[in-house]
Amino acid sequence: MEIQITTRDVQTLSCDALIVGAARAPQNGQEEKGIVLSTTAAAVDKLLDGLLQERAQAGEFQGNLGELLTIHPMGRLAAQRVIVVGTGAQAKLDAQAIRRASAIATRHVQNTGAKQVVLAQGWQIAGIDEALTAQAQVEGALLGAYRFRKYQKSDNNQKSIAQLLLLASEAKKDVYEQALHKGQVLVEATNFARDLINEPPNVLTPTELARRATTMAEQAGLAYEVFDEAKIKELGMGGLLGVTQGSAQPPQFIILRYQGDPQHSDKVLALVGKGITFDTGGISLKPPADMDEMKGDMGGAAAVIGAMQAIAALKPAINVTGLVPTCENMPSGTAFRPGDILRILNGKTIEIVNTDAEGRLILADALSYAEQQGFSPIIDLATLTGGIVVALGHTMTGLFCNDEQLTADIIAAGRTAGEKFWPMPLDDEYGDMIKSEIADIKQTGGRWASSVTAAKILEHFVGNAKWAHLDIAGTSYGDKKSYQEKGGTGVGVRTLTELALSLAQ
Ligand code: BES
Ligand code: ZN
Ligand code: ZN
């Protein structure tokens, strides 16, 4: 899909669909059906003699977030149709509302045959940053238009937008160009992560994940290294070796390096991603329902690899290293068992209770490695526990962190990126639940607070480093919604990139 800026006049700009925005007016009792129009929506309203406001007064459109009103201007504008998308209450209008509205409208026009689409949701009102609005429109459109159809006959693949134009004023053209570039980089990386998640697990093996990561690294100009099974054994990554034991696929440990600050140590920010390419549960086999979704158990790895791509393109002045332990969790005659004791890279032993709690084992090795190398802060992302889905659903990512400033930085980066994080506890009392009689720690703490005890296990492997653990089990894989299709969301890519940009300052 081609995407460009246009400064042409809205009346003569020909396209299949022109997307404008409208918010719900502040309700002071009087104007119940009132809407507030974005800059171009107001211009369109004028060209059509007040048709938009009239339809709103008639009750056809209220401006709720994601609500759509289709107008056919019948030649009075060059556009075949105008899509007015609601952005919700005006008082709550922000980049995220515009991003969401843009995704819904773009997805809708794509599904209804539009090839040439103009994005014109700009606002010129106090408190709304035009550059952020422009970026949010681009991000929303590209996120909303995303589809994963490479395994379908091309006949089914016709409905795709050929050209997106972002409407800008001549005066703000440069600002819009920059916003377009940033939004495009962020979403290309997010959609790359989504592709990795959506690939079937027979294709995306640990070896294939390493191949895709290193191909990306070569194109993006990142340094990389991949440890094979022999090297993983030599280093003593007993968690990764234990989990991979039942699989016919060899494990990999992927390292990606970005040097944005060559004058300083490269042992600064480390991003660690859980890369289980398929999680059957192993000997503690999962039930069949929805097991196919466990192809997404490498969502943390995908987020890290995607973020490294975006960071390489946006070039913040900071050194960032991506670390991805990857393998399959399979049941077989060679699989690890409940009762086994594994020794992690840093020497600590873990008593295995349930082979389905495999993510913490491979992360333990990766975190130990990062800590031994001297990285700080270390941020890991993992589809780690069903417990976090119970606690926070599919809306917010659980954030476990041993440093207040880092907690605040991640939440702020998430807000900029349009991703939500909620702080969860690491209180020491939870540590009692993972005490073992025969090993240094027990792998699981039972049913209650299972996402917290999982995080407490990870904490054993980060030493004194500043560390954050993002449990993305609820947010990394989504059902079909008006703004996305079922599958990987790429959560984490944009937040990690924004975090690297902010830490660089
Ligand atoms: N990959 C799963 C967690 C998961 C659940 C991810 C739902 C995405 C959606 C993880 O490996 C797992 O199975 N965790 C178990 C641990 C338990 C056995 C201690 C869980 O949380 O149920
Ligand atoms: Zn599992
Ligand atoms: Zn898992």
Side-chain angles (χ1 to χ4, degrees):
M1 184 195 309
E2 184 193 320
I3 169 156
Q4 284 172 338
I5 305 276
T6 181
T7 56
R8 288 186 41 199
D9 178 60
V10 64
Q11 187 174 12
T12 55
L13 184 55
S14 64
C15 60
D16 297 316
L18 169 68
I19 298 174
V20 299
R24 233 172 42 226
Q27 295 185 333
N28 320 323
Q30 309 124 321
E31 241 196 322
E32 295 218 324
K33 293 170 191 157
I35 54 168
V36 192
L37 299 172
S38 71
T39 311
T40 307
V44 170
D45 191 47
K46 205 166 168 199
L47 288 167
L48 299 177
D49 303 321
L51 183 63
L52 272 50
Q53 286 290 2
E54 180 204 298
R55 291 294 87 212
Q57 287 305 319
E60 195 176 334
F61 178 82
Q62 271 115 42
N64 293 320
L65 184 58
E67 199 183 344
L68 298 172
L69 171 68
T70 303
I71 303 272
H72 296 101
M74 308 291 282
R76 291 170 77 182
L77 264 78
Q80 292 297 316
R81 53 181 150 142
V82 176
I83 303 290
V84 188
V85 59
T87 51
Q90 190 196 13
K92 290 190 182 168
L93 186 62
D94 60 6
Q96 178 61 0
I98 289 164
R99 192 182 285 112
R100 198 40 85 79
S102 181
I104 291 170
T106 305
R107 205 163 171 75
H108 169 75
V109 299
Q110 173 168 268
N111 288 339
T112 48
K115 302 280 170 216
Q116 268 218 326
V117 177
V118 177
L119 305 171
Q121 266 199 77
W123 292 83
Q124 276 142 356
I125 54 175
I128 298 284
D129 178 329
E130 255 197 280
L132 282 182
T133 311
Q135 191 188 323
Q137 285 189 73
V138 171
E139 288 179 13
L142 296 177
L143 288 168
Y146 173 84
R147 295 163 356 126
F148 185 78
R149 291 297 141 79
K150 63 188 276 199
Y151 294 98
Q152 265 180 357
K153 276 206 301 284
S154 57
D155 309 16
N156 299 335
N157 212 358
Q158 289 308 310
K159 282 184 183 168
S160 63
I161 295 170
Q163 191 189 39
L164 266 181
L165 293 173
L166 177 66
L167 188 65
S169 63
E170 205 52 69
K172 290 278 168 75
K173 202 174 167 198
D174 290 351
V175 175
Y176 271 68
E177 289 284 3
Q178 275 177 22
L180 169 63
H181 177 248
K182 189 175 174 193
Q184 209 172 354
V185 164
L186 286 170
V187 178
E188 272 167 16
T190 306
N191 288 346
F192 171 43
R194 295 168 87 179
D195 279 346
L196 294 174
I197 294 168
N198 292 336
E199 278 291 354
N202 58 329
V203 172
L204 199 92
T205 59
T207 307
E208 178 62 12
L209 182 61
R211 199 184 64 79
R212 298 220 184 169
T214 54
T215 304
M216 177 281 285
E218 261 168 26
Q219 285 165 357
L222 295 168
Y224 64 86
E225 205 175 339
V226 179
F227 297 160
D228 64 6
E229 189 155 15
K231 176 77 178 174
I232 290 166
K233 279 199 178 120
E234 184 192 316
L235 288 169
M237 294 186 164
L240 183 54
L241 289 167
V243 176
T244 197
Q245 217 174 279
S247 170
Q249 296 292 334
Q252 311 276 314
F253 191 91
I254 308 163
I255 304 178
L256 303 172
R257 288 195 187 89
Y258 166 74
Q259 278 232 322
D261 186 16
Q263 257 71 286
H264 292 95
S265 156
D266 59 349
K267 301 294 167 6
V268 196
L269 177 60
L271 308 176
V272 178
K274 171 179 171 182
I276 296 290
T277 60
F278 194 70
D279 183 11
T280 64
I283 293 299
S284 314
L285 193 63
K286 284 182 182 296
D290 296 330
M291 203 205 272
D292 61 295
E293 294 189 359
M294 284 301 128
K295 72 176 181 179
D297 211 18
M298 31 56 71
V304 168
I305 295 166
M308 292 304 292
Q309 173 179 307
I311 289 167
L314 296 175
K315 302 191 172 38
I318 182 177
N319 298 326
V320 189
T321 300
L323 301 170
V324 174
T326 173
C327 71
E328 262 186 341
N329 187 21
M330 301 294 273
S332 83
T334 61
F336 78 132
R337 324 151 186 79
D340 285 0
I341 294 178
L342 303 181
R343 187 181 297 277
I344 304 303
L345 179 82
N346 75 347
K348 287 195 187 178
T349 57
I350 305 185
E351 176 191 359
I352 303 305
V353 177
N354 184 327
T355 62
D356 196 10
E358 82 297 336
R360 61 199 74 185
L361 304 173
I362 71 169
L363 287 173
D365 279 325
L367 292 171
S368 299
Y369 181 81
E371 192 268 334
Q372 267 188 6
Q373 297 280 312
F375 286 99
S376 182
I378 303 171
I379 300 176
D380 78 73
L381 288 91
T383 47
L384 202 65
T385 66
I388 203 69
V389 194
V390 174
L392 301 177
H394 301 288
T395 305
M396 295 185 126
T397 293
L399 165 57
F400 300 81
C401 186
N402 63 8
D403 183 81
E404 273 182 33
Q405 185 59 49
L406 186 57
T407 302
D409 289 345
I410 292 171
I411 292 173
R415 196 162 288 146
T416 309
E419 297 178 335
K420 296 170 186 173
F421 297 84
W422 195 258
M424 299 288 290
L426 283 167
D427 191 279
D428 276 337
E429 221 174 300
Y430 291 104
D432 296 343
M433 296 164 79
I434 50 166
K435 284 196 171 136
S436 167
E437 302 272 314
I438 56 172
D440 295 330
I441 35 178
K442 199 167 67 168
Q443 181 206 18
T444 69
R447 180 160 176 217
W448 308 119
S450 64
S451 59
V452 185
T453 48
K456 290 301 281 183
I457 301 259
L458 300 181
E459 194 184 32
H460 277 270
F461 301 93
V462 297
N464 294 322
K466 287 183 190 170
W467 159 71
H469 156 58
L470 312 181
D471 193 337
I472 57 172
T475 48
S476 174
Y477 200 93
D479 277 341
K480 188 180 162 81
K481 295 207 178 94
S482 55
Y483 56 90
Q484 71 184 21
E485 62 178 19
K486 176 183 158 94
T489 62
V491 74
V493 171
R494 285 171 292 132
T495 297
L496 291 176
T497 307
E498 288 294 351
L499 183 71
L501 289 168
S502 74
L503 293 179
Q505 299 203 332

